[in-house]
């Protein structure tokens, strides 16, 4: 019995110790280290990179109170103080996002490792994080020892794309390799190969920038790919550089010569190094890619394939020796964005024969990319793949809306048993694929849809009890995927595919909910500034291929609006600093155009582009005066500039722009607003702009709000275009008319967000009635079925319905605002968002007359929670009365209950009618 008693006591002590350990000694963890929004980036040229991390804990109310960072040239040296490059010591700060590196300047092509640990609000230190690293690229132009090389005596452009160019060289290594990096770029697009294998998984490199001012190079770690004897090969295609670009029949906009620049640095374990460069010793030839154009597609003749050309031992005696090209290296930059990649694959859902006898595959999703096809046939047989977004009213293949884009891939067989084809330097926007020239009908699994877009990390989800709204959310996200292909394009299918600034700015907040666009926008905004004209005018499209056409209100304002979005979502102050001169130059341009009366009048603008229009006298459309819109945006961006100036430490500028905005506001009211609060353009867009931008004096807000509500009630639908639509539901909710906002969202008839969904849309359309109720189409000159702008409603769905919002005073979700809004007959809604601090969740449902609400607040953040239609005495949180179980100091504020919480998961419930 004594032994038994001892055993029980021992077990009890062990149990108590385990409980005590899990509660008292629970530690925070530091994880998910990123440098400049990238995980372990190589080849960056940011001299003072910023470091971010996340805090993980299973405890509630966890805050970081201090951190310590250490940086060294190797993992082992991180723990050796004498070997550290930078060590902060313990820094009293809750900052865990975008902490600037403070060590000595790094050299070109240098890798450094870093770690961080953090102290929580109980003064307990975490363990050191797992090491992360970043690696610099080529920081000085003179370190480029490679030469630009090109194909000599190339035939002149004759109206069609010229053949792709194939480059190669061989070299050997003689020692044990420590590391190897290849730095490469091109005029045109390139694919790079080493010893027969493709280098990296990036597509459409070097990307699309304002090539004459900024040309990206890529860095690849090729250490494991090297052998004793090696071959480098590269294929160059026209791409954006010299292919068809824009809708004005332009070709070779940036230049007429393709060229390659490559530098491979090999470091040996004995401390020596070797550099292989592009130079006059390389060989070049044409090959099986006869034509390759982004708009028109690719023509590939497999009979011309050169087996083994990318490997050692290939006989290149009939290839030409390259020519040198005198082209600058001063504009070379490392990428700041995210690369384009093949992200997913889709199998067709149906093979059909149209009334015209066309053989057509239905991919089931309007997508961007191409198809990979398996084909059999005789040598010299030709097959074609043609691409379309929709079928016409009769069910036939429809390409009229592609305008001049041929969107056709052509493949000539070499006659092998089975051949596989997919293009290299083109992409298509499509749901349907017409198969032409196939000797036998392919099976569904012989064709694979390859979905490509910028490799942005998904960050947001939204769902609710209405399946049509869920499909709308699906369409919004697929519209973004299809059009965020290195630049935010308007459409991915016709002869356009340009970075329209207006589309980008109205959609920017929704984009930032759906995906991590921090790096994507950082890169693109540098091109906005680069292409901005000396007088401050901002081109309509970026990169600018319309020869400087620009200066449109609501479009050019992208200069301030997207940096502001990035600041709000990610807490990124640097983008405000970097873009500030661009922003103020645009304000100066507007100030010059407006003159001393502070009204921007008479200039050409797009206005509320593609607003609802009708030819019926009993069902009129809505046209908002462009001068009103221009002056409204003049005010808004000037006021935004004042805020930005204050944030980045320019108080004099902040005051200057604040006073200018006040003068614009007075002029706006004198010119466009009656004493009774009616706007001269009596449209939903006009009122949404005036109310949401804060243009009206306090005594006229209620009157203008009533005019807006009455107009929505009269029409029973929206009448807005590109500029009014993103603001409409937000404004209605702000004036207390959620009923009307939900009515607009849930409306299924034209014009509405759900009308395209009822017509089978899988992406957002350019027009409200791209396909009319009778099955006919809108004007072929402008009728994209993948155009994300109207998807800007997604912001309201995330922030208002699901209830995840940003506190403007604490950007980057450092302090989260939870404020859900049931309505529209919805019985549940939820949203997740992966912030820089961690995952945020907001999910509500109405069940058995009870409002059940679950939220998740990541560590090192806090949140304000506002519960709709709630009584404090009835609210329970984690099954206990709200101010008893967890002391939250909750308060009754009218019909709402409001309280603050720290990090953790919370389950809230209360009676709800």
């Amino acid at each position: 019995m004594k032994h038994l008693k001892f055993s029980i006591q021992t077990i009890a002590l062990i149990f108590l110790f385990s409980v005590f350990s899990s509660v008292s000694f629970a530690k925070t963890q530091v994880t998910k280290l990123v440098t400049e929004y990238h995980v372990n980036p190589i080849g960056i040229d940011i001299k003072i990179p910023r470091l971010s991390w996340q805090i993980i804990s299973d405890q509630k109310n966890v805050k970081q109170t201090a951190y310590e960072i250490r940086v060294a040239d190797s993992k082992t040296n991180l723990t050796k103080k004498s070997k550290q490059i930078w060590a902060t010591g313990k820094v009293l700060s809750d900052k865990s996002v975008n902490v600037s590196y403070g060590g000595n300047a790094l050299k070109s092509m240098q890798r450094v490792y870093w770690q961080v640990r953090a102290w929580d609000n109980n003064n307990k230190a975490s363990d050191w994080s797992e090491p992360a690293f970043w690696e610099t690229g080529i920081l000085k132009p003179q370190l480029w020892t490679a030469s630009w090389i090109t194909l000599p005596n190339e035939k002149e452009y004759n109206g069609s794309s010229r053949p792709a160019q194939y480059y190669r060289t061989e070299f050997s290594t003689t020692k044990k390799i420590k590391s190897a990096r290849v730095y490469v770029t091109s005029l045109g697009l390139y694919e790079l190969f080493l010893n027969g294998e493709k280098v990296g998984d990036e597509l459409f490199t070097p990307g699309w920038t304002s090539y004459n001012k900024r040309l990206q190079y890529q860095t690849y770690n090729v250490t494991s790919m090297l052998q004793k004897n090696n071959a480098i090969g590269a294929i160059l295609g026209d791409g954006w550089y010299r292919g068809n670009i824009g809708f004005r029949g332009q070709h070779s906009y940036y230049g007429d010569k393709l060229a390659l620049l490559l530098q491979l640095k090999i470091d040996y374990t004995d401390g020596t190094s070797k550099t292989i460069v592009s130079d006059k010793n390389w060989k070049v030839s044409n090959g099986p890619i006869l034509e390759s154009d982004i708009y028109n597609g690719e023509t590939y003749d497999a009979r011309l394939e050169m087996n083994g050309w990318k490997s050692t031992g290939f006989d290149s005696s009939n290839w030409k020796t390259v020519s040198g090209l005198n082209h600058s290296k001063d504009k070379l930059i490392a990428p700041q964005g995210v690369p384009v990649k093949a992200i997913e694959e889709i199998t067709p859902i149906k093979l059909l024969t149209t009334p015209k006898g066309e053989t057509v595959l239905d991919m089931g999703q309007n997508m961007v990319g191409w198809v990979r096809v398996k084909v059999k046939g005789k040598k010299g047989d030709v097959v074609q793949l043609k691409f379309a977004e929709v079928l016409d009213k009769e069910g036939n293949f429809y390409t009229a809306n592609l305008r001049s884009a041929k969107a056709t891939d052509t493949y000539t067989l070499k006659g092998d048993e089975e051949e596989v084809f997919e293009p290299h330097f083109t992409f298509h926007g499509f749901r349907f694929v017409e198969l032409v020239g196939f000797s036998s009908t392919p099976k569904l699994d012989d064709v694979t849809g390859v979905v490509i877009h910028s490799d942005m990390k998904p960050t947001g989800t939204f769902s609710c009890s209405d399946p049509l709204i869920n499909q709308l959310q699906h369409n919004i996200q697929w519209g973004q995927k299809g059009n965020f292909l290195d630049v935010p394009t308007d459409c991915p299918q016709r002869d356009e595919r340009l970075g329209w600034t207006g589309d980008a700015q109205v959609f920017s907040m929704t984009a930032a909910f759906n995906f991590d666009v921090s790096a994507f926008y950082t890169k693109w905004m540098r091109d906005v500034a680069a292409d901005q004209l000396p007088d401050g005018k901002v081109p309509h499209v970026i990169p600018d291929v319309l020869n400087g056409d620009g200066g449109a209100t609501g479009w050019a304002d992208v200069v301030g609006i997207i940096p502001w979005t990035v600041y709000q979502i990610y807490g990124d102050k640097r983008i405000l600093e970097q873009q500030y001169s661009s922003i103020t130059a645009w304000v100066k341009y507007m100030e010059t155009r407006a003159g001393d009366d502070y009204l921007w009048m008479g200039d050409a603008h797009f206005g509320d582009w593609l607003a609802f229009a009708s030819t019926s006298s009993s069902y009129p459309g809505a046209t908002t005066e462009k001068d009103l819109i221009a002056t409204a945006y003049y005010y808004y961006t000037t006021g935004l500039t004042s805020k930005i100036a204050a944030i980045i430490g320019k108080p004099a500028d902040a005051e200057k722009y604040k006073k200018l905005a006040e003068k614009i506001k007075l002029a706006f009211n004198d010119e466009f607003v009656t004493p009774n609060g009616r706007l001269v353009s009596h449209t939903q867009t006009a009122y949404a702009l005036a109310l949401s931008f804060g243009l009206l004096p306090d005594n006229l807000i209620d009157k203008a709000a009533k005019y807006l509500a009455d107009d929505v009630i009269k029409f029973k639908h929206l009448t807005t275009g590109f500029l009014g639509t993103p603001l409409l539901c937000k404004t209605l909710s702000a004036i207390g008319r959620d009923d009307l906002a939900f009515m607009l969202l849930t409306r299924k008839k034209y014009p509405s967000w759900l009308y395209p969904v009822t017509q089978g849309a899988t992406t957002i359309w350019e027009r409200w009635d791209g396909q009319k109720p009778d099955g006919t189409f809108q004007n072929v000159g402008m009728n994209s079925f993948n155009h994300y702008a109207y998807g800007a409603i997604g912001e309201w769905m995330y922030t208002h319905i699901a209830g995840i919002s940003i506190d403007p005073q604490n950007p980057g979700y450092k302090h989260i605002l939870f404020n859900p809004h049931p309505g529209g007959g919805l019985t549940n809604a939820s949203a997740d968002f992966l912030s820089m601090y961690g995952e945020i969740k907001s999910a509500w449902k109405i069940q058995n007359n009870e409002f059940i609400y679950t939220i998740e607040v990541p560590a090192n953040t806090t949140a304000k929670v506002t519960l709709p239609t709630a009584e404090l005495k009835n609210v329970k949180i984690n099954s206990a009365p709200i101010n008893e179980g967890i002391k939250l100091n909750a308060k009754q504020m009218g019909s709402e209950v409001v309280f603050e919480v720290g990090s953790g998961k919370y389950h809230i419930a209360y009676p709800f009618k």
Side-chain angles (χ1 to χ4, degrees), residues 52-92:
S52 303
W53 57 90
Q54 289 183 13
I55 306 294
I56 303 294
S57 176
D58 58 0
Q59 303 297 297
K60 283 185 169 60
N61 302 313
V62 173
K63 293 181 181 179
Q64 174 187 293
T65 57
Y67 67 80
E68 183 176 6
I69 300 171
R70 59 191 185 191
V71 179
D73 60 2
S74 69
K75 290 181 182 180
T76 56
N77 283 341
L78 283 169
T79 59
K80 302 173 182 177
K81 288 189 176 182
S82 63
K83 298 287 187 178
Q84 291 170 353
I85 295 172
W86 180 51
T88 63
K90 185 177 180 180
V91 177
L92 299 179

Side-chain angles (χ1 to χ4, degrees), residues 227-239:
Q227 304 167 4
K228 182 177 180 180
N229 297 309
N230 302 275
I232 301 178
I235 312 174
L236 268 58
D238 289 350

Side-chain angles (χ1 to χ4, degrees), residues 843-910:
W844 60 263
K845 62 181 178 180
I846 301 169
Q847 183 175 297
N848 299 324
N849 295 321
E850 190 174 38
F851 189 80
I852 301 169
Y853 187 35
T854 302
I855 63 172
E856 186 169 336
V857 183
N860 205 28
T861 69
T862 57
K864 177 182 178 181
V865 183
T866 302
L867 302 177
T869 318
E871 291 188 38
L872 183 61
K873 62 182 181 180
N874 295 327
V875 175
K876 290 186 176 181
I877 182 164
N878 295 348
S879 302
I882 191 165
N883 282 333
E884 294 181 16
I886 302 176
K887 305 298 183 182
L888 296 175
N889 193 29
K891 296 180 180 178
Q892 188 78 47
M893 307 285 285
S895 64
E896 300 171 333
V897 169
V898 181
F899 56 94
E900 295 276 340
V901 294
S903 66
K905 297 178 181 179
Y906 301 91
H907 182 77
I908 302 160
Y910 58 91

Side-chain angles (χ1 to χ4, degrees), residues 67 214 450 556 807 893:
Y67 67 80
R214 291 162 31 90
V450 180
D807 179 354
M893 307 285 285

Side-chain angles (χ1 to χ4, degrees), residues 6 25 180 403 496 748 751 771 841:
F6 176 78
F25 294 105
R403 301 191 305 216
E496 193 164 353
K748 300 176 183 64
Q771 180 175 304
K841 293 188 177 183

Side-chain angles (χ1 to χ4, degrees), residues 443-752:
K443 300 187 294 290
L444 290 182
D445 58 5
D446 286 338
V447 180
T448 302
V450 180
V451 177
I452 69 168
H453 56 79
S454 289
D455 190 20
M456 308 165 293
K457 179 174 63 178
T459 50
T461 64
F462 173 89
S463 63
C464 67
S465 57
D466 188 330
L468 294 181
I469 296 176
N470 292 340
Q471 182 64 42
L472 172 64
Q473 168 68 5
H474 169 98
N475 295 1
I476 292 169
Q477 291 185 320
W478 273 86
Q480 180 174 351
K481 288 193 286 188
N483 282 292
F484 276 44
L485 201 153
D486 207 45
V487 304
T489 61
D490 59 327
C491 61
Q493 74 296 89
R494 67 189 181 213
D495 57 350
E496 193 164 353
R497 315 184 198 190
L498 304 178
W500 282 95
T501 51
D503 305 48
Q505 73 90 353
V506 299
F507 187 71
S508 61
M509 283 298 290
T510 298
F513 278 114
N514 291 331
F515 293 91
D516 181 351
V517 292
S518 52
F520 180 90
Y521 278 148
T522 298
K523 174 256 185 186
W524 188 65
M525 289 309 302
R526 300 303 291 267
D527 287 305
V528 171
D531 276 344
Q532 191 170 11
L533 277 64
D535 64 356
K537 181 194 289 185
V538 179
H540 298 323
V541 301
I542 301 295
D544 175 29
V545 292
L546 301 181
N547 301 304
D549 287 357
T553 189
W555 270 248
D557 298 273
V558 72
V559 296
I561 291 173
I562 285 186
W564 185 250
T565 294
V566 173
Y567 170 71
Q568 292 276 58
I569 295 286
Y570 307 105
D572 189 333
K573 194 166 114 177
R574 183 178 289 179
I575 195 171
L576 301 181
E577 296 167 339
Q578 290 178 335
Q579 301 298 133
Y580 186 70
S581 61
S582 172
I583 299 167
T584 55
W586 169 241
V587 173
K588 183 64 177 177
Y589 176 86
M590 291 190 287
E591 191 175 3
T592 301
R593 302 306 301 162
D596 293 338
D597 59 5
Y598 306 104
L599 296 169
W600 190 1
M601 310 279 277
D603 282 356
H605 300 286
F606 297 111
D608 193 28
W609 188 247
L610 296 182
F612 169 74
S614 175
T615 57
S616 170
S617 59
S618 60
Y619 206 48
T623 300
T624 305
E625 188 177 334
K626 292 178 181 179
D627 292 343
L628 182 152
I629 297 173
T631 304
Y633 264 98
Y634 178 26
Y635 168 79
Y636 177 76
T637 298
T638 301
L640 188 59
T641 306
S642 175
K643 293 179 184 177
I644 291 170
I647 290 166
I648 64 175
K650 295 180 180 292
D653 279 8
E655 185 63 22
K656 177 180 75 171
Y657 291 116
K658 180 182 178 183
K659 289 180 178 178
L660 176 58
E662 290 169 352
K663 293 174 181 176
I664 300 167
K665 180 175 180 177
L666 289 173
F668 180 91
N669 281 273
D670 287 344
E671 183 71 20
F672 300 115
V673 187
T674 72
N676 219 22
R678 182 184 175 97
L679 297 177
V680 295
S681 289
H682 191 63
T683 64
Q684 294 171 17
T685 290
Y687 288 107
L689 286 167
L691 289 163
S692 65
F693 285 2
L695 273 159
L696 300 173
D698 292 345
N699 65 309
L700 295 183
I701 290 175
D702 289 344
K703 292 179 180 179
K706 186 174 186 306
Y707 281 128
L708 172 60
D710 288 348
D711 194 77
V712 174
I713 292 168
K714 179 180 75 172
F715 281 103
K716 297 183 176 61
H717 63 74
L718 50 75
T719 63
T720 50
F722 274 33
L723 297 182
T725 298
L727 304 174
L728 185 55
C729 284
K730 288 196 292 186
T731 307
L732 288 169
S733 293
I735 65 172
R737 295 308 304 263
D738 259 8
D739 59 325
L740 297 179
F742 275 104
M743 180 272 289
L744 295 178
L745 176 65
T746 57
R747 176 183 166 90
K748 300 176 183 64
K749 295 181 179 179
Y750 163 76
S752 69

Side-chain angles (χ1 to χ4, degrees), residues 100-117:
S100 294
Y101 168 69
N104 293 331
L106 300 180
K107 301 174 183 177
S108 291
M109 300 172 278
Q110 180 181 359
R111 173 178 287 199
V112 294
Y113 293 83
W114 67 286
Q115 283 179 300
V116 62
R117 63 174 173 170

